[in-house]
């Protein structure tokens, strides 16, 4: 009998592929850690093949189902901790382990494949629609709150929008309609709008949420052990850019509650732009069909390959995720009335921002009518004006009114000991272990660190963020709160005017 090896220590999974479909060679190391991770790359690069082979760790029969009758030279290898599984096609047109010890690397988790194979779409066939439309009101019950609230949030930014959503009863005979999953409907006094006649976005998200809800309820919610793994191929399919962004917000909200490691393949610049660089894996294929992986890939860099032909009115380039959050906070609070489709993208250090800005102008990133602006941290203003004098004249460039959010925190918490700001942060996020205890530990741990390095504030920021997450905060909420504090402490009037002019300008 095949044993299933359950692993409990967090680490990295190594996946290797040889001679499978259009892939000659491929190797990737992916972290098994709580959070959202992105597999991206241009069309035809092999993302779906990679995601499907990755699914073997949560779906035992994946290789036999999706890669039956593969080339007999194909090899797929998984390595985790001290265990290696190497799979090859056998004479029965299925796959076999080559190791004598047949312990299989396995995790709790969910796999939802792409359009062709996905469980989201198995009931979306015209031959079934007539039967589905014959269902009556009395055959439905209220949909789960999880489904209708997140459906409303993702599609309409309103959790109550689909509060009248219903689904077929638990004892409903799905077989008589040739259905594999419960069917949903919007029911009013005088009409029924069945799921199969809703928009493609509604159909997709309802099916995805129903599938996730069923599977998430069965997962072990044990945060002391490894996270369950959610693997979604083309999760953004048929969604408006705003809905794509809220889809990621949804995963940001649930991955901590359910202890999830989420892997998503996507072409969406909107989704990519929300992800930290260490969680982006950019695939590229050479002329011999060997796929290489770029690790620690900034969103802007990844978007060069996937966003051509994707249109924005305005693009704003910044150095890092904290600057991105700061600018987005200003845009939401002060400039939300403007009817402009804009995107804030973090690129990397100031040299990377300026170089990317030049390249983005050359290739017309975002479309011919898109305007681009760069906003750098305040602490590099003097250096940039000396080093990039000519570029400042050529590109739309300005600076934050603070050195950086990390330095803002360091100055106010460590140097000036801003008591009011200290108390606001502590009362909101540090109720189990006090902020004072965290700060004292930081000072103790950094005794041998140079003062110049400490004043950058990055070490303090990482320790504060880490402890806030341990105490139940989400990273997005913690960052948003700190941006609020910074915006109230400093004057952003000049930056707001500059942003307003940039967003309203037609030429």
């Amino acid at each position: 009998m095949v044993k299933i090896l359950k692993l409990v220590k967090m680490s990295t999974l190594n996946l290797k592929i040889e001679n499978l479909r259009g892939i000659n060679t491929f190797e990737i190391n992916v972290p098994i850690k709580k959070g959202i991770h992105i597999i991206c790359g241009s069309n035809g690069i092999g993302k779906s093949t990679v995601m499907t082979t990755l699914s073997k760790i949560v779906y035992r029969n994946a290789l036999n189902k999706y890669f039956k009758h593969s080339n007999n030279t194909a090899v797929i290898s998984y390595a985790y901790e001290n265990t290696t599984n190497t799979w090859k096609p056998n004479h029965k047109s299925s796959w076999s382990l080559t190791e004598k010890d047949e312990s299989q690397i396995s995790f709790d988790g969910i796999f939802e494949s792409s359009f062709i194979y996905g469980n989201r779409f198995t009931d979306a066939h015209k031959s079934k629609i007539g039967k589905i439309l014959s269902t009556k009101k009395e055959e439905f019950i209220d949909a789960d709150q999880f489904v209708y609230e997140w459906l409303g949030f993702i599609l309409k930014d309103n959790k109550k929008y689909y509060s009248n959503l219903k689904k077929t009863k638990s004892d409903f005979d799905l077989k008589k309609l040739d259905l594999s999953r419960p069917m949903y409907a919007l029911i009013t006094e005088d009409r029924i709008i069945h799921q199969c006649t809703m928009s493609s976005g509604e159909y997709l998200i309802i099916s995805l949420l129903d599938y996730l809800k069923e599977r998430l309820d069965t997962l072990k919610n044990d945060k002391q052990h490894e996270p369950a793994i959610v693997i979604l191929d083309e999760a953004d399919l048929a969604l408006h850019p705003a809905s794509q962004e809220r889809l990621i917000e949804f995963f940001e909200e649930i991955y901590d509650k359910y202890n999830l490691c989420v892997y998503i393949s996507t072409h969406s610049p909107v989704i990519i732009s929300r992800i930290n660089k260490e969680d982006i894996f950019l695939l590229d294929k050479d002329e011999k069909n060997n796929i290489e992986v770029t690790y620690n890939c900034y969103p802007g860099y990844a978007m060069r390959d996937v966003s051509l032909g994707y249109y924005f009115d305005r693009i704003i380039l910044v150095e890092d995720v904290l600057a991105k959050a700061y600018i987005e906070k200003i845009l939401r609070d002060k400039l939300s009335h403007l009817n402009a489709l804009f995107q804030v993208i973090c690129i990397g250090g100031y040299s990377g921002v300026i170089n990317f800005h030049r390249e983005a102008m050359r290739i017309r990133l975002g479309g011919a009518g898109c305007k681009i602006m760069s906003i750098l941290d305040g602490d590099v203003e003097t250096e940039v004006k000396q080093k990039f004098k000519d570029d400042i004249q050529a590109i739309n460039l300005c600076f934050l009114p603070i050195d950086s959010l990390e330095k803002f925190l360091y100055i106010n918490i460590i140097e000036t000991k801003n008591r009011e700001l200290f108390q606001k942060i502590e009362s909101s996020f540090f109720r189990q272990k006090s902020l004072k205890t965290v700060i004292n530990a930081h000072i103790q741990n950094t005794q041998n660190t140079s003062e110049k390095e400490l004043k950058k504030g990055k070490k303090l920021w990482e320790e504060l963020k880490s402890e806030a997450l341990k105490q139940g905060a989400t990273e997005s909420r913690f960052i948003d709160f700190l941006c609020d504090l910074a915006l109230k402490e400093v004057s952003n009037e000049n930056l707001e005017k500059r942003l307003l002019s940039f967003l309203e300008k037609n030429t």
Side-chain angles (χ1 to χ4, degrees):
M1 174 168 298
V2 175
K3 297 178 291 182
I4 300 297
L5 180 63
K6 293 294 181 180
L7 301 152
V8 295
K9 186 178 179 182
M10 298 183 72
S11 188
T12 299
L13 176 80
N14 174 269
L15 169 64
K16 294 179 182 178
I17 301 172
E18 295 179 21
N19 301 321
L20 183 69
R21 300 226 171 136
I23 299 175
N24 183 25
T25 64
F26 171 76
E27 180 175 2
I28 191 171
N29 293 302
V30 293
I32 305 301
K33 69 173 185 177
K34 185 170 62 177
I36 304 169
H37 317 282
I38 297 298
I39 305 288
C40 59
S42 58
N43 276 328
I45 207 76
K47 295 187 299 298
S48 289
T49 300
V50 170
M51 296 294 280
T52 306
T53 54
L54 184 61
S55 74
K56 178 70 175 69
I57 63 176
V58 297
Y59 176 32
R60 180 177 168 184
N61 201 41
L63 302 186
N64 290 331
K65 179 174 181 179
Y66 299 118
F67 299 118
K68 198 170 184 179
H69 304 296
S70 292
N71 187 324
N72 59 13
T73 64
V75 181
I76 303 175
S77 175
Y78 307 83
Y80 188 88
E81 296 295 333
N82 297 319
T83 303
T84 297
N85 293 163
T86 304
W87 294 85
K88 294 182 178 181
N90 58 37
H91 65 281
K92 298 179 181 179
S93 299
S94 58
W95 291 73
S96 301
L97 272 174
T98 61
E99 291 83 10
K100 293 181 179 179
D101 179 3
E102 291 189 326
S103 296
Q104 292 186 29
I105 296 171
S106 175
F107 298 84
D108 286 327
I110 299 167
F111 172 54
E112 176 50 29
S113 184
S114 60
F115 184 86
I116 295 174
Y117 296 113
N119 293 306
R120 286 170 280 171
F121 311 100
T122 53
D123 294 326
H125 194 279
K126 62 183 181 181
S127 65
K128 303 179 183 182
I129 292 179
K131 296 178 182 179
I132 292 170
L133 295 179
S134 68
T135 53
K136 309 298 182 184
K137 290 182 181 181
E138 55 269 20
E139 295 177 293
F140 291 86
I141 58 173
D142 291 340
D144 291 322
Q145 185 177 357
F146 177 93
V147 175
Y148 79 73
E149 284 195 349
W150 284 118
L151 174 68
F153 173 77
I154 293 169
L155 295 183
K156 305 295 183 180
D157 197 19
N158 180 353
K159 287 191 173 184
K160 300 299 182 184
Y161 189 89
Y162 291 98
S163 57
N164 64 330
L165 185 69
K166 310 293 181 181
K167 73 172 182 178
T168 49
K169 294 180 178 179
S170 58
D171 60 354
F172 182 83
D173 185 4
L174 296 172
K175 291 183 179 179
K176 74 176 183 180
L177 300 185
D178 194 24
L179 299 178
S180 61
R181 304 194 59 77
M183 183 55 61
Y184 286 76
L186 291 168
I187 298 180
T188 61
E189 290 185 3
D190 58 347
R191 64 186 303 199
I192 302 178
I193 304 175
H194 292 83
Q195 184 179 349
C196 60
T197 61
M198 295 180 190
S199 70
S200 57
E202 288 172 322
Y203 185 97
L204 182 150
I205 295 299
I206 288 174
S207 300
L208 177 61
L209 290 171
D210 174 78
Y211 183 72
L212 283 172
K213 178 64 169 62
E214 177 186 334
R215 297 304 303 276
L216 290 173
D217 285 345
T218 68
L219 295 177
K220 298 174 182 177
N221 188 13
D222 186 351
K223 297 185 180 182
Q224 300 303 313
H225 295 84
E226 284 174 335
I229 299 176
V230 176
I231 301 171
L232 296 174
D233 194 9
E234 301 176 1
D236 53 298
L237 199 66
L239 294 182
H240 182 277
S243 295
Q244 293 174 15
E245 187 159 12
R246 291 193 293 269
L247 177 69
I248 295 302
E249 290 181 30
F250 158 69
F251 281 117
E252 289 173 342
E253 187 70 25
I254 70 166
Y255 78 68
D256 185 63
K257 178 179 179 181
Y258 289 98
N259 194 25
L260 302 177
C261 170
V262 182
Y263 275 92
I264 297 174
S265 73
T266 184
H267 298 103
S268 168
V270 174
I271 291 178
I272 294 170
S273 68
R274 289 188 63 96
I275 307 301
N276 295 329
K277 66 183 181 70
E278 60 269 21
D279 296 319
I280 296 176
F281 303 86
L282 177 63
L283 308 188
D284 191 20
K285 184 186 289 187
D286 65 19
E287 64 279 2
K288 295 182 179 179
N289 290 327
N290 301 308
I291 298 180
E292 298 292 335
V293 182
T294 300
Y295 298 91
N296 285 314
C297 181
Y298 275 97
Y301 186 90
M303 288 170 60
R304 295 187 309 175
D305 290 336
V306 301
S307 64
L308 294 180
Y310 194 92
Y311 294 96
F312 291 106
D313 297 304
R314 300 291 184 267
I315 291 176
I316 300 171
L317 307 177
V318 296
E319 292 189 54
D320 56 35
V321 67
L322 295 180
K324 171 180 164 70
Y326 191 90
I327 295 300
E328 288 180 335
K329 184 69 178 174
I330 293 176
L331 293 171
R332 287 197 305 270
D333 292 352
K334 304 291 184 179
L335 305 174
S336 61
H337 62 285
L338 297 173
N339 296 318
L341 179 61
F342 61 86
Q343 189 66 32
V344 183
I345 307 170
C346 45
I347 303 296
Y350 68 80
S351 295
V353 173
I354 292 172
N355 291 333
F356 184 86
H357 193 143
R358 286 193 305 236
E359 180 69 6
M361 291 172 64
R362 185 186 70 80
I363 66 174
R364 294 187 176 185
L365 180 68
C370 179
K371 307 302 178 187
I372 303 173
M373 179 182 190
S374 290
I375 303 177
L376 304 178
D377 292 350
D379 60 351
V380 300
E381 184 170 0
T382 300
E383 186 175 352
V384 168
K385 286 182 176 178
Q386 292 174 350
K387 188 175 179 180
F388 291 94
K389 185 177 180 179
D390 294 337
D391 292 284
I392 291 175
Q393 303 301 318
I395 65 177
N396 188 357
L397 175 68
C398 68
F399 299 87
L400 293 176
I402 58 174
D403 287 346
S404 68
L405 194 57
E406 298 102 316
K407 286 188 176 181
F408 170 81
L409 284 173
Y410 185 86
I411 291 170
N412 281 274
I413 290 178
I414 302 296
E415 292 187 347
T416 64
K417 295 180 171 59
N418 184 328
R419 188 61 191 164
E420 181 180 356
L421 185 142
F422 188 99
Q423 289 176 335
K424 287 179 179 179
I425 296 174
E426 183 171 62
S427 62
S428 298
F429 296 98
F430 297 90
R431 297 173 182 173
Q432 299 170 25
K433 180 188 290 187
S434 70
L435 181 55
K436 182 178 180 180
T437 302
V438 178
I439 298 303
N440 288 340
H442 166 75
I443 294 172
Q444 184 69 30
N445 294 335
T446 56
Q447 286 181 346
N448 297 324
T449 305
S450 69
E451 185 177 0
K452 181 180 179 180
E453 186 66 24
L454 286 175
K455 286 190 173 183
K456 293 179 180 179
K458 295 186 183 298
K459 290 183 178 293
L460 176 64
W461 159 250
E462 289 298 332
E463 291 181 26
L464 291 178
K465 182 180 71 171
S466 176
E467 183 57 37
L469 296 184
K470 288 179 183 178
Q471 296 196 33
T474 62
E475 184 172 348
S476 59
R477 190 168 77 86
F478 187 54
I479 292 175
D480 198 52
F481 181 85
L482 296 179
C483 287
D484 262 335
L485 294 182
L487 289 169
K488 291 174 183 177
E489 290 285 328
V490 301
S491 172
N492 292 279
E493 185 176 354
N494 290 335
L495 179 58
E496 289 171 14
K497 288 180 179 178
R498 188 75 179 266
L499 282 167
L500 181 62
S501 174
F502 171 67
L503 293 173
E504 288 186 328
K505 198 172 183 180
N506 291 322
T507 59

